[in-house]
């Protein structure tokens, strides 16, 4: 749907209350046997679809998705309303009625509806990227100007290193880069941006909501973790407009993680 916004950021400071952030953090670390002993996103309970695919664990992702969704809705009941709100914000920010499209899960039997990214280790990789991995089942869409995909992130726990060089914060480039345009965005080294002119610095304070066009390059700034209290936790859900799918044969916003 061409009316849906592109090349833009929605930022809401303090969207999630400090009490809910603390409750979520406590719940996560009370259930480490569910999230995985190493608490790494690609292996933990709330694993991202793209992370599992890249790690060769797609079978595990699809096999446990329904179980993971039940766990998520039981222990994090606020998630359902948050997903609905984020979907409605995409529509309202595009100048459409908040109920202009159904907002439905991709397929709760095989895909997680949302999840958490937990980082207990230092992050040193300068990884500017776009969030198009979740569109792998629609390969043509990553090259199309018609595609509308969005990433929604809520900061639950900010790394203690934020006081030093903005570690753990987000940088987002306010420009839309399709898959066949990436070479023009990067320097010849393949990982740095040619220009910082369109870069937006986004604060990662607890409770902040950031919702943006998934084709906008972005990165988590490198940070160091020296102790458990420095951990970085974020809640993530992705959205994509589909005119029709086998599961949902009508125009809609689908969501997954």
């Amino acid at each position: 749907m061409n009316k849906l916004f592109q090349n833009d950021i929605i930022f809401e400071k303090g969207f999630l209350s400090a009490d809910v952030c603390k409750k979520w953090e406590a719940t996560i670390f009370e259930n480490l046997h569910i999230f995985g002993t190493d608490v790494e996103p690609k292996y933990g309970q709330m694993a991202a679809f793209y992370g599992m695919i890249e790690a060769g664990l797609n079978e595990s992702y699809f096999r446990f998705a329904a179980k993971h969704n039940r766990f998520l809705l039981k222990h994090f009941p606020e998630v359902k309303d948050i997903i609905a709100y984020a979907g409605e914000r995409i529509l309202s920010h595009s100048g459409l009625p908040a109920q202009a499209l159904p907002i439905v899960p991709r397929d709760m039997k095989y895909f997680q509806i949302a999840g958490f990214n937990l980082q207990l280790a230092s992050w040193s990789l300068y990884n500017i990227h776009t969030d198009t991995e979740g569109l792998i089942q629609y390969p043509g869409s990553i090259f199309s100007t018609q595609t509308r995909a969005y990433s929604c992130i809520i900061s639950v726990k900010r790394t203690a290193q934020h006081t030093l060089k903005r570690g753990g914060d987000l940088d987002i480039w306010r420009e839309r880069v399709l898959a066949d345009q990436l070479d023009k965005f990067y320097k010849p080294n393949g990982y740095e941006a040619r220009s910082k002119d369109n870069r937006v610095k986004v604060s990662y304070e607890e409770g902040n909501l950031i919702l943006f066009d998934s084709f906008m390059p972005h990165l988590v700034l490198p940070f160091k973790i020296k102790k458990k209290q420095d951990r970085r936790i974020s809640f993530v859900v992705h959205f994509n407009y589909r005119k029709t799918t086998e599961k949902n044969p009508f125009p809609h916003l689908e969501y997954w993680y």
Side-chain angles (χ1 to χ4, degrees):
M1 178 183 285
N2 290 334
K3 292 182 179 180
L4 293 179
F5 81 84
Q6 55 184 326
N7 196 25
D8 202 0
I9 304 168
I10 298 172
F11 178 82
E12 295 191 16
K13 183 179 177 63
F15 168 80
L16 203 63
S17 72
D19 288 342
V20 173
C21 287
K22 290 179 180 178
K23 184 181 72 171
W24 280 13
E25 180 185 3
T27 302
I28 288 170
F29 282 89
E30 288 169 0
N31 292 275
L32 292 184
H33 64 290
I34 298 294
F35 280 84
T37 55
D38 295 328
V39 199
E40 295 183 359
K42 64 182 181 181
Y43 298 117
Q45 188 272 348
M46 296 299 169
F49 173 63
Y50 59 85
M52 298 289 271
I53 295 296
E54 292 170 356
L57 299 172
N58 50 295
E59 179 271 341
S60 293
Y61 176 91
F62 294 126
R63 184 157 55 99
F64 291 111
K67 177 182 178 181
H68 295 169
N69 287 331
R70 290 193 295 269
F71 177 89
L72 183 70
L73 293 172
K74 177 180 179 180
H75 294 277
F76 304 90
E78 301 88 353
V79 162
K80 187 175 182 180
D81 288 340
I82 289 172
I83 293 174
Y85 175 82
E88 291 173 358
R89 284 291 282 124
I90 292 171
L91 297 171
S92 62
H93 193 72
S94 304
L96 298 169
Q99 286 75 42
L101 289 171
I103 302 165
V104 297
R106 179 174 280 184
D107 188 334
M108 291 183 66
K109 182 177 180 180
Y110 300 114
F111 290 88
Q112 291 175 198
I113 60 173
F116 291 96
N117 188 323
L118 287 77
Q119 294 168 304
L120 288 181
S122 296
W123 177 259
S124 59
L125 184 64
Y126 193 80
N127 179 29
I128 306 177
H129 63 283
T130 54
D131 286 345
T132 56
E133 302 94 333
L135 301 177
I136 192 171
Q137 63 192 111
Y138 316 121
S141 68
I142 67 174
F143 303 98
S144 173
T145 59
Q146 304 302 311
T147 304
R148 297 294 183 269
Y150 305 93
S151 303
C152 180
I153 304 167
I154 300 176
S155 174
V156 178
K157 177 72 174 182
R158 188 179 194 177
T159 173
Q161 201 236 3
H162 70 84
T163 57
L164 178 62
K165 297 182 180 178
R166 298 181 54 240
D169 281 358
L170 289 175
D171 277 356
I172 304 177
W173 274 256
R174 194 181 286 276
E175 53 186 277
R176 183 176 167 90
V177 182
L178 300 177
D180 55 354
Q181 301 168 340
L182 286 170
D183 287 342
K184 296 179 181 179
F185 174 82
Y186 293 114
K187 290 182 177 180
N189 61 22
Y191 67 90
E192 291 182 288
R194 292 182 182 272
S195 172
K196 294 183 180 180
D197 290 346
N198 295 324
R199 183 183 62 170
V200 178
K201 298 179 180 180
V202 180
S203 175
Y204 204 76
E205 296 168 321
E206 283 89 348
N208 288 355
L209 178 148
I210 307 107
L211 203 166
F212 57 94
D213 184 336
S214 295
F215 285 92
M216 294 168 62
H218 57 281
L219 85 154
V220 175
L221 291 175
F223 59 87
K224 296 179 181 178
I225 286 181
K226 296 181 178 180
K227 54 186 177 180
K228 188 176 181 180
Q229 288 72 19
D230 292 341
R231 56 186 174 252
R232 185 183 189 274
I233 305 173
S234 54
F235 171 80
V236 186
V237 58
H238 295 288
F239 294 87
N240 177 39
Y241 169 75
R242 300 305 301 172
K243 186 174 182 180
T244 182
T245 64
E246 182 177 352
K247 179 69 176 181
N248 298 299
F250 48 82
H252 62 279
L253 277 180
E254 65 173 7
Y255 58 87
W256 76 94
Y257 181 61

